Amino acid sequence: MPPTVRTAAQIRREFLDFFRERGHAIVPASPVIPHDDPTLLFTNAGMNQFKDVFLGSGSRSYQRAADSQPCIRAGGKHNDLDDVGMDTYHHTCFEMLGNWSFGDYFKAEAIGWAWELLTRVWGLEPQRLHATYFEGDPAQGVPADTEARDLWKKIAGLPDARIHPGNRKDNFWEMGDTGPCGPCSEIHIDLTPDASCGKLVNAGDARVMEIWNLVFIQFNRNADQSLTPLPARHVDTGMGFERICSVVQGMGHGRLGRFSNYDTDVFSPLFDAIHDISKAPAYAGTLPEAGGRGAKDAPQVMIDVAYRVIADHIRTLTFAIADGCLPDKEGRGYVLRRILRRAVRYGYQYLGLKEPFLHRLAPTVGELLGDSFPRLRENPGRVAEALREEEASFGRTLERGLALFDEAADTARRDHHGEVRGADAFRLHDTFGFPIDLTQIMAAESGLRVDIGEYERLMEAARERARGTGRSAAAAIDPSTAAIITGWGATDDHWKHEHESLTARIVGVLRSDGDALRAMEGANAKLRSGEGGALILDRTCFYGEQGGQVGDAGVIRAGAAEFRVDRTVRLSDTIVHVGGLVSGELGAGDAVELSVSPDRARTRANHTATHLLNWALREVLGEHVQQKGSLVDADRTRFDFSHPRAPEPGELERIERLAGEQAARGLVVHAAEAAQGDAMKISGLRAVFGEKYPERVRVVSIGPAVADLLADPARADWRGYSIEFCGGTHVRNTREIGRFVLVAEEAVAKGVRRVVGLTGPDAARADALAESLLARAAALSQEAAPEALSAGLAALAAEAAGAVIPLSRRAALRSALESLQARQKEQSRASAADSLAVAIGHVDALIAAAERIGDTAIVVGAMPDLPAEQLKHAADIVRSRCGSCAVLFGVHVAAGEKSPAKAVVLAAVSEDLIRRGVKAGDLVKAVAPLVDGGGGGPPTLAQAGGKSPEKLPAALEAGRAWIRERIMK
């Protein structure tokens, strides 16, 4: 980029510096994941972090603020996802530059400063700028904002022809149906060659577009919809960073008629990285035909669409994952999954990227934006790994899904008048993970459409089945098929408690039909290799999902035929083995051999541990504890229970210890059936509140034999053992559980808490990880180098935040981290003090050697490589000591591990010299090219960078001559 054209980083910095100089606190951007605001999917505006101030429920220590806020708009009310890539200005991720006043300044200052920044700092041509104001709405009792209209005339000198009234939709902001609200005044820029298209303001034409919105919050909307003036009036402004970069850089390049957010250095480094990875043709900036989605476009057009989609989406994904959100199947996570899969599909089809690639782009985002948003650099490995895993998961079904879409598209052209069947779209979603919006995009690119009505009906039917079967995985079985299955008779599954293998006979076959299982009868009651479905047997050793324990997986064989069981579900008294035939052929009447997956051993251990956990919870928290739900599988035990508050750390430690001690005692696990009435008399027995039990129940006792319990049910010491009704699988002896630890505790509903526990090798790994983290913390406590401590602490804190470790060790780790953070702050304070002392020492020497012309000092010289704030402070010291002065500092910044050496020049000028025409911004613009750089700034303080630090001595002397010449005029 030529030195005369501002970089994106410079534009952001100038915006923040401009408002800093006008008394604004520069606040850090909030996370793009609003963890404390459940009303938002993502942070979608700069004002989100100040909602409590506008609502009157919060306050800040400052009355003026400014920031640059990353935002995501890809879901809910604000959703630009489908348009990204198709034009020059839509994004799912963008930065919002904003300034705010909380009961301080109002319209005159907001309008004046906006005009000054745009025209005097960034040099936009005033004759191209238009303003809008609210025209009023008498029907709603909202007056016209004539105050803003008149200020645009007075402050900016805009003629009536460039001040436009706007309606309530465009020019009145409301937070909700009631609450703070007020008129908006937007600034638009006419980018046509002769600046003659003011009539296109608010007409949806990109040639005349909004660049800044000033919101004046001055009313409260009451419940009866009337308006009341607010006692304290606020200002909330927002300007799209990518858009203003395209305008400022476009004007700098002399481009008119074609402005693109993507033709800036916000995106060009990402395009370079995509090109390097894909080896596809370079980005050329072409666009689809108006209204088109690729059906008739040339290959380069779709290549460029793919570049834009991937560059935008990797920014969204990197920010969101860095802020703690991962791709998932629901909520925010599902939005991220849709975004990721959209990017992967474009890379696969148009750039030839057949292997995971997004994780290789995330570091580029960190390099581009990490200086402004440091959290992008806190744990880049975790971000990259999350991307790689999710992309690899989708990649396993992508090729088959694309093949299915091609078949569906052929059918649509041949038999359905260009409409892809809803059933095909549903199968793409359900089987291959294609979000419906991705299928719609692919259809549009092929000149087709999707029968969205049929798709929605199938989706709703699937939801209804899921709701109707509660926790059961039998949701894919419709009522008519269920009647056939139960008609085949009950399955003898008593073998599940003691056997991992068994012989049986097939009594029924079901075949997968899209989202459902269909019963096969007669000669068709067969499954062939490659087909999915389910088998019903006369007997089984597989456990069907029930009571919180997942169903078993495993294999069913008959000679060369092999059926892989993915899950086992219970339908009344019939067990359904769901999976797919890997080889051969199986049908009704065939004799088969059953083999349960070895994972059952860990599931058994976790289930028995769940019983010990339930007992320990009652021992520590009280008899009021009731089971509210559970999930037991091979990886963990998850247990929900009633309790009015979060358990104290000490209580959780005791719960973990009691359960672990019982496991270590080597207690025998007994199970036997008994009459419900007799069993209910056993002292200490736990049953699920509200559950209906049969007349005969299975009692599982850890320690005492069931016969002893029934013989003397009232013995008080039975309460010292776990005794429950349970039909699940368990270990024979509690020593098989191994180590037991709690790794998580949280609220799931009002009065309901959840704990998660690990056993055996998983518990040992959690222990080992905790020890490793604590050892690293101990090593860091001996680290003397501030940079090493800072980097090590950031990495350790990020890893600890997501680490699965025992809750009992979290307090120690938290304390170690807090101690390190305190030490880091102390080092930072000491480093800042040292830097300031160094700066003052150099300032003293430069002032002593300063040239003086009358009462004015010319302070020019080299400064050490210090933080920018210390350099600015040093310039302030010179101005306070010398009064009338011009200051020019040069700094040689040494090369870093990944960055070359560079030059920094900083200029400061006293107010009396500014009135004489000597301005810091002009001085920097004159000197910066001499070090092969560029920059600028306001008259009082300006800064620039250059890539040739060896030229600094000559540049400083040229700057001295420049100052001398202007002072002596």
Side-chain angles (χ1 to χ4, degrees), residues 33-58:
I33 307 301
H35 297 287
D36 56 351
D37 188 347
T39 66
L40 288 174
L41 269 177
F42 302 102
T43 296
N44 58 24
M47 61 78 62
N48 289 163
Q49 66 171 301
F50 302 118
K51 276 176 65 174
D52 61 323
V53 179
F54 295 134
L55 290 170
S57 60

Side-chain angles (χ1 to χ4, degrees), residues 265-574:
D265 64 333
V266 175
F267 288 99
S268 57
L270 281 167
F271 290 160
D272 291 342
I274 295 167
H275 176 67
D276 290 343
I277 292 172
S278 67
K279 310 305 179 187
Y283 179 71
T286 59
L287 294 170
E289 293 182 8
R293 292 276 168 165
K296 300 177 181 178
D297 293 307
Q300 182 64 47
V301 171
M302 295 312 297
I303 288 172
D304 289 344
V305 169
Y307 269 102
R308 289 189 290 269
V309 166
I310 294 168
D312 171 88
H313 290 6
I314 190 57
R315 283 164 34 110
T316 299
L317 293 163
T318 303
F319 266 114
I321 295 172
D323 281 343
C325 186
L326 294 173
D328 203 348
K329 61 184 179 181
E330 58 187 18
R332 295 172 179 136
Y334 184 61
V335 176
L336 292 189
R337 179 164 287 171
R338 289 166 53 205
I339 291 170
L340 182 142
R341 293 184 175 186
R342 187 172 188 258
V344 169
R345 201 277 303 190
Y346 272 101
Y348 187 98
Q349 281 199 290
Y350 297 112
L351 302 184
L353 290 162
K354 307 301 184 185
E355 299 295 329
F357 64 92
L358 290 173
H359 67 287
R360 297 171 63 187
L361 295 173
T364 304
V365 178
E367 291 169 12
L368 281 172
L369 298 170
D371 286 342
S372 299
F373 308 106
R375 61 184 181 274
L376 292 177
R377 290 179 172 165
E378 289 176 0
N379 199 339
R382 183 173 65 87
V383 174
E385 183 62 18
L387 288 168
R388 190 197 63 76
E389 288 182 1
E390 181 70 18
E391 192 174 358
S393 174
F394 183 47
R396 286 191 283 270
T397 62
L398 176 59
E399 186 172 0
R400 285 181 291 159
L402 291 173
L404 173 61
F405 175 82
D406 289 341
E407 295 173 11
D410 289 342
T411 302
R413 296 186 189 96
R414 186 178 64 249
D415 302 328
H416 293 275
H417 309 290
E419 186 171 66
V420 176
R421 295 184 307 162
D424 290 327
F426 179 82
R427 188 178 175 205
L428 279 167
H429 166 83
D430 192 54
T431 306
F432 298 102
F434 280 48
I436 184 59
D437 49 358
L438 178 56
T439 301
Q440 288 176 300
I441 290 169
M442 293 164 59
E445 290 173 0
S446 302
L448 305 170
R449 61 190 182 280
V450 177
D451 184 348
I452 198 67
E454 183 186 12
Y455 168 82
E456 290 292 354
R457 285 192 295 275
L458 290 169
M459 281 295 294
E460 183 56 32
R463 295 187 194 104
E464 280 297 323
R465 285 192 297 274
R467 286 192 288 266
T469 54
R471 291 173 298 186
S472 172
I477 303 172
D478 63 33
S480 61
T481 304
I484 296 173
I485 293 172
T486 54
W488 286 333
T491 307
D492 178 5
D493 68 338
H494 81 275
W495 314 89
K496 63 182 180 284
H497 297 298
E498 301 294 336
H499 293 75
E500 277 74 48
S501 60
L502 192 70
T503 58
R505 190 170 298 278
I506 299 173
V507 299
V509 176
L510 300 99
R511 182 177 295 136
S512 296
D513 180 15
D515 63 313
L517 289 170
R518 304 296 182 200
M520 301 290 104
E521 297 186 280
N524 292 322
K526 291 181 179 295
L527 281 180
R528 294 172 176 82
S529 179
E531 291 183 331
L535 300 178
I536 313 299
L537 311 175
D538 61 343
R539 62 182 192 167
T540 185
C541 56
F542 280 69
Y543 182 85
E545 180 177 330
Q546 189 180 29
Q549 180 177 328
V550 299
D552 283 331
V555 177
I556 297 174
R557 296 184 177 91
E562 180 177 311
F563 182 87
R564 184 192 65 248
V565 180
D566 296 325
R567 68 187 193 275
T568 307
V569 300
R570 174 178 289 274
L571 192 65
S572 186
D573 291 327
T574 305

Side-chain angles (χ1 to χ4, degrees), residues 101-161:
S101 165
F102 309 123
D104 187 25
Y105 64 82
F106 203 47
K107 295 180 185 178
E109 294 87 346
I111 289 172
W113 288 336
W115 185 257
E116 180 182 356
L117 179 60
L118 293 175
T119 61
R120 298 180 192 170
V121 177
W122 288 337
L124 300 187
E125 300 171 26
Q127 65 271 21
R128 293 187 176 277
L129 298 178
H130 295 249
T132 66
Y133 70 96
F134 181 51
E135 65 187 3
D137 187 348
Q140 293 288 326
V142 189
D145 189 11
T146 55
E147 180 185 5
R149 179 198 64 192
D150 294 342
L151 285 169
W152 281 114
K153 293 180 182 180
K154 177 182 177 181
I155 294 173
L158 288 181
D160 288 338

